[in-house]
Amino acid sequence: MNSRASLVVLLLVLIASGFYIAIDSSKDKVKNKSETDNTNVIQQYSLKEKNNTLDKKQIEDKKNIEVIKDFAKENSLSDEENNNIKNTVEAFLKAFCSISEGSNPRTRLESVKASINPSLYEELNKQIDVESNLATEYYVYRNINKIVIHNIQKKENEVSVSTSVFSDWINNDLSTQIEDAPQDYTLTLTKENSNWIINSFVENFK
């Protein structure tokens, strides 16, 4: 092979080498870009999840519930008895009416089981089952702002307590749907030994 042919072969080899190097470099750039994009997506997703978790935790941890109950009183009962009734009703409403992702409704109900009549306890458990089965992407959380105990009235061996619960309703995207919406409830209680037990819990629809 003469020198001219050798130069041509060498030139072709150099061109081919440069072509393959360019391809490899391009592949590396594409690979690096893909890896960078994937990393950015993961980081953005992680940040979004972190923010959602923080927002949900803020909803669940909100404990600044205003309670107005000092004006409710049954004159035939002592101050101690009136306070026991109001405290029982307050604890029940906070436990049962709060709805958040991280708080199982059955766990909340168990926390006040001792102050609920067994038949009402079973009824409320069935209500939880129905609500859980009907839950969809529109399922909302309930963040209580205020509880008002309006009145305590005694009739024979039972007391009737009228209340209102004001709440913010929040959807799965943590957007507030309704602010400070009121719902009225009537509870009836009887005294068993030294404890007041809730016999009924009825929502008063307007």
Side-chain angles (χ1 to χ4, degrees), residues 35-158:
E35 290 176 350
T36 301
D37 290 344
N38 288 338
T39 300
N40 289 338
V41 169
I42 293 171
Q43 289 175 344
Q44 291 172 4
Y45 179 79
S46 299
L47 181 61
K48 181 179 179 181
E49 287 297 303
K50 181 179 180 180
N51 288 337
N52 284 345
T53 300
L54 290 173
D55 288 341
K56 290 175 183 178
K57 190 174 190 308
Q58 289 173 355
I59 292 172
E60 295 163 12
D61 290 347
K62 182 175 179 181
K63 304 300 182 184
N64 298 324
I65 300 174
E66 181 183 4
V67 181
I68 300 174
K69 59 182 179 180
D70 292 342
F71 301 104
K73 184 176 182 180
E74 167 55 54
N75 291 327
S76 66
L77 297 174
S78 67
D79 288 343
E80 182 180 3
E81 294 286 44
N82 274 290
N83 287 333
N84 287 341
I85 292 169
K86 289 184 282 189
N87 290 339
T88 299
V89 168
E90 176 188 342
F92 172 79
L93 291 175
K94 284 182 177 179
F96 189 72
C97 294
S98 296
I99 304 172
S100 60
E101 185 190 43
S103 181
N104 188 304
R106 209 172 301 283
T107 302
R108 299 197 313 271
L109 187 60
E110 288 296 322
S111 70
V112 289
K113 182 178 180 180
S115 62
I116 306 173
N117 179 286
S119 60
L120 176 60
Y121 173 79
E122 293 300 325
E123 180 183 331
L124 294 176
N125 262 307
K126 291 178 182 178
Q127 182 177 326
I128 290 173
D129 288 336
V130 171
E131 291 175 353
S132 298
N133 290 335
L134 293 177
T136 67
E137 67 270 20
Y138 300 108
Y139 180 79
V140 291
Y141 307 119
R142 183 179 186 182
N143 197 12
I144 299 176
N145 298 323
K146 179 170 64 177
I147 294 173
V148 181
I149 299 177
H150 299 288
N151 186 46
I152 302 173
Q153 186 175 9
K154 188 173 185 296
K155 185 177 180 181
E156 297 179 352
N157 296 323
E158 188 174 68

